[in-house]
Amino acid sequence: MVVKTISFGINGIDGYLVEVEASSTRGMPKFDLVGLPDASVKESRDRVTSAMKNCGLQICSSHLTFNLAPADIRKEGPIYDLPITVCLMLLSGHIMKNTGDCGFIGELSLSGELRSVNGVLPMVIKARETGLKRVVVPPQNAKEAAVVDGIDVYTVRDIVELKRFLNGEKDLQPVKPEPKNESDTARFVPDFSQVKGQQLAKRALEIAAAGSHNILMIGPPGSGKSMLAKRVPTILPDMSFEEMIETTKIHSIAGILHGEGLVTTRPFRSPHHNVSAVGLGGGGSNGIHPGEVSMAHHGVLFLDELPEFKRSALEVLRQPIEDGEITITRSGQTCTYPCSMMVIAAMNPCPCGYFGDDTHQCTCSPQKIHRYLNRVSGPLLDRFDIHVELPRVKFEELRSDISAESSEDIKKRVNDAREMQRERFRGSDTMSNATINAAQLQKFCVIDKEAENVLKIAFEKLGLTARAYDRVLKVSRTIADLDQSEVIKSNHVLEAVRYRSLDRKYWEN
């Protein structure tokens, strides 16, 4: 006798169909599991048999063979406990009705209760695409699964309740998605109004947020670099539904949703500088998992104390920053994760932090400063569209009663600029000015004659590379958008060029 149930697996951020087949034949009682399972999948036999026995469900005494198809893709994780259990209950006569229209995802405890698993959202999306009418998931994953329209999501406490539900003995209602709380994105704590001084840095961060540009902040300790970076999410534009789905899929696969539903606010990831290249880019010895660059997708990746990061980890960033995705290859497996993010980096100008400071004397030798700055490679430095220097905040600014501009006011301008970009790039893969490709550059970055002369002088005097030229043009486009101007003018170019001078000041020798 052969029975079959439907489950799913994860490849990158997408789900794929897995058919769990079970066969019962005469012979000595045995439990074989084939279909390229990893160690955690092989352990399902012990969890499943213990769970059924502890729930009082008799297991047929025969030679049992379970196959996870397609057999050429490695299956990982405990997500197949539930479909294997359903197959076993079908073979043992505990379930009498057809389950072909239902998918099953979940881990089992030894007592038969369902436990949460990672990656439920992309698997439920795949279930809908394959035409399934319903899917059963653990209670802890109900919120994320329920955001998928067009498929009924059910949750059960244990396999006894599942048996009664599948046999029609218990009526369960599909899980309803929770309404989006719009107030979550309207709260601005911490707020830009709490930061005293640093008007140039605030302006640079507003431009970066409006065009999704990467930005590097350089300044002495206590100048407010980290404080400003942590407030950037409060001025980022609202997420579209497609961005929410993509971000939630990655967080679901990484296991950081913690029972929450749709991610409605842009992520802010701030890894410590001792993070490894694998932790930053993704991968791992036990399967492939998304790294910090992917978990910051559609949000912010903040790298504090940039030169303190390992060189190998920083070099991982070069390709993802340029392409907006990262491909990880391990033996027999390749995964591609999206990582369209805004990178904010902060660093001191020297090891002691006081090079060029008016009030503190720098204790570093020129050789020490040179070695410190050169921990950041030229190619990586060139990928930051905006460089801004933060001076020490003066006493008068700290004691000033003048209220600074709030995050809400800044965000309104950022949203208006992003709306212009959405209209401009409608129908293309480009989402913001920072990702304008070479073919679009001449079409969308229209400059007047005076602005062209300014750009030519800056290119020749500063010795800009071709990449730096493109980035100046893209930043100019964003500054013009903030002014609601379709044509890039000379003042827009001048301001953009201003944000490309620090690499000449600190890295010229």
Side-chain angles (χ1 to χ4, degrees):
M1 180 181 179
V2 177
V3 297
K4 184 175 72 173
T5 58
I6 301 298
S7 190
F8 303 90
I10 294 292
N11 183 25
I13 65 166
D14 297 316
Y16 64 90
L17 183 70
V18 174
E19 293 185 349
V20 182
E21 302 171 317
S23 172
S24 173
T25 57
R26 291 182 180 180
M28 292 291 291
K30 193 177 179 183
F31 193 121
D32 288 330
L33 189 57
V34 297
L36 214 56
D38 71 354
S40 59
V41 178
K42 290 178 181 177
E43 292 168 353
S44 291
R45 71 186 76 183
D46 299 316
R47 290 192 294 270
V48 168
T49 53
S50 295
M52 288 190 65
K53 289 176 182 177
N54 289 326
C55 289
L57 300 174
Q58 192 70 29
I59 300 174
C60 59
S61 181
S62 58
H63 185 180
L64 302 172
T65 303
F66 290 82
N67 178 44
L68 308 179
D72 61 337
I73 301 177
R74 179 168 292 279
K75 315 303 184 304
E76 299 175 347
I79 60 179
Y80 304 107
D81 288 4
L82 195 58
I84 289 173
T85 302
V86 173
C87 279
L88 194 50
M89 288 197 289
L90 284 167
L91 289 174
S92 302
H94 300 299
I95 297 176
M96 307 306 295
K97 293 194 175 183
N98 181 28
T99 61
D101 67 338
C102 186
F104 301 92
I105 305 164
E107 177 186 349
L108 290 183
S109 69
L110 297 184
S111 62
E113 294 180 348
L114 270 68
R115 288 178 171 165
S116 64
V117 294
N118 297 340
V120 164
L121 178 60
M123 289 189 280
V124 174
I125 292 174
K126 186 64 179 180
R128 180 191 62 186
E129 292 173 354
T130 56
L132 291 181
K133 302 299 182 185
R134 51 184 182 160
V135 64
V136 177
V137 302
Q140 302 91 327
N141 298 116
K143 289 182 180 179
E144 60 174 299
V147 304
V148 182
D149 292 328
I151 187 169
D152 291 334
V153 175
Y154 295 91
T155 181
V156 293
R157 185 177 61 258
D158 53 34
I159 59 175
V160 174
E161 188 176 14
L162 175 65
K163 179 181 80 74
R164 295 179 61 202
F165 167 62
L166 294 176
N167 283 329
E169 300 169 4
K170 182 171 183 177
D171 186 30
L172 295 177
Q173 295 300 315
V175 180
K176 293 183 179 179
E178 290 188 347
K180 285 189 292 183
N181 189 354
E182 299 295 339
S183 63
D184 286 347
T185 58
R187 291 179 299 183
F188 302 104
V189 179
D191 196 278
F192 264 84
S193 62
Q194 300 159 352
V195 182
K196 300 287 187 178
Q198 302 298 8
Q199 296 305 316
L200 178 62
K202 288 180 181 178
R203 169 64 175 173
L205 287 169
E206 178 182 340
I207 296 167
S212 193
H213 299 287
N214 303 321
I215 180 170
L216 173 65
M217 297 185 290
I218 305 176
S223 56
K225 301 185 295 295
S226 299
M227 179 183 288
L228 285 166
K230 290 174 181 176
R231 283 158 174 76
V232 168
T234 66
I235 65 170
L236 291 176
D238 297 324
M239 296 182 79
S240 66
F241 183 73
E242 290 75 19
E243 288 176 331
M244 293 179 190
I245 288 290
E246 267 197 357
T247 304
T248 307
K249 285 167 75 173
I250 295 173
H251 287 205
S252 175
I253 294 165
I256 58 175
L257 277 183
H258 306 300
E260 297 298 321
L262 203 62
V263 174
T264 57
T265 56
R266 295 187 182 273
F268 181 87
R269 303 295 299 182
S270 179
H272 192 264
H273 56 72
N274 66 0
V275 67
S276 66
V278 171
L280 198 59
S285 56
N286 185 24
I288 297 180
H289 305 286
E292 291 290 340
V293 295
S294 298
M295 287 187 280
H297 185 50
H298 292 314
V300 173
L301 178 67
F302 176 45
L303 304 175
D304 202 4
E305 304 296 343
L306 183 66
E308 301 298 336
F309 283 78
K310 298 173 186 174
R311 187 67 174 258
S312 60
L314 288 180
E315 294 308 303
V316 166
L317 290 173
R318 287 165 57 176
Q319 178 261 335
I321 288 176
E322 201 73 21
D323 299 341
E325 63 180 23
I326 183 167
T327 300
I328 305 163
T329 302
R330 295 292 182 267
S331 58
Q333 189 178 5
T334 299
C335 287
T336 299
Y337 293 112
C339 52
S340 180
M341 64 198 161
M342 174 181 166
V343 181
I344 302 176
M347 61 179 287
N348 297 328
C350 67
C352 77
Y354 297 111
F355 176 64
D357 191 75
D358 296 334
T359 57
H360 289 78
Q361 184 177 358
C362 176
T363 59
C364 305
S365 66
Q367 295 79 10
K368 207 171 180 181
I369 296 173
H370 181 76
R371 283 197 302 271
Y372 178 78
L373 293 174
N374 279 299
R375 292 179 187 174
V376 182
S377 69
L380 178 62
L381 183 67
D382 215 21
R383 282 166 169 79
F384 288 97
D385 302 355
I386 298 173
H387 307 154
V388 62
E389 189 170 24
L390 280 73
R392 180 173 298 281
V393 182
K394 297 178 181 179
F395 177 80
E396 292 77 11
E397 291 176 321
L398 292 173
R399 294 296 300 165
S400 173
D401 294 331
I402 300 174
S403 59
E405 194 172 23
S406 69
S407 291
E408 188 172 6
D409 293 335
I410 299 172
K411 183 174 179 177
K412 287 177 182 176
R413 294 195 296 270
V414 170
N415 270 329
D416 291 342
R418 280 293 182 98
E419 185 57 36
M420 287 185 69
Q421 293 166 48
R422 276 191 286 270
E423 289 298 322
R424 179 180 301 132
F425 305 125
R426 190 177 298 279
S428 70
D429 294 333
T430 304
M431 303 299 295
S432 63
N433 288 335
T435 56
I436 294 176
N437 59 44
Q440 296 171 326
L441 201 62
Q442 189 171 2
K443 178 181 179 182
F444 294 124
C445 296
V446 180
I447 60 177
D448 61 22
K449 194 64 179 176
E450 187 179 354
E452 186 176 355
N453 291 333
V454 170
L455 190 58
K456 181 181 178 183
I457 294 170
F459 184 82
E460 293 173 348
K461 295 236 175 172
L462 295 178
L464 298 178
T465 64
R467 179 184 282 120
Y469 165 82
D470 287 351
R471 295 189 184 279
V472 166
L473 210 50
K474 292 174 185 178
V475 172
S476 302
R477 175 69 273 166
T478 301
I479 296 171
D481 288 345
L482 286 168
D483 282 350
Q484 298 292 298
S485 171
E486 282 295 340
V487 177
I488 299 172
K489 300 177 181 177
S490 59
N491 60 305
H492 303 144
V493 174
L494 281 169
E495 186 174 5
V497 169
R498 183 181 186 182
Y499 299 126
R500 292 296 304 191
S501 60
L502 286 187
D503 52 345
R504 274 74 193 167
K505 176 179 178 180
Y506 289 106
W507 281 272
E508 61 181 358
N509 295 321

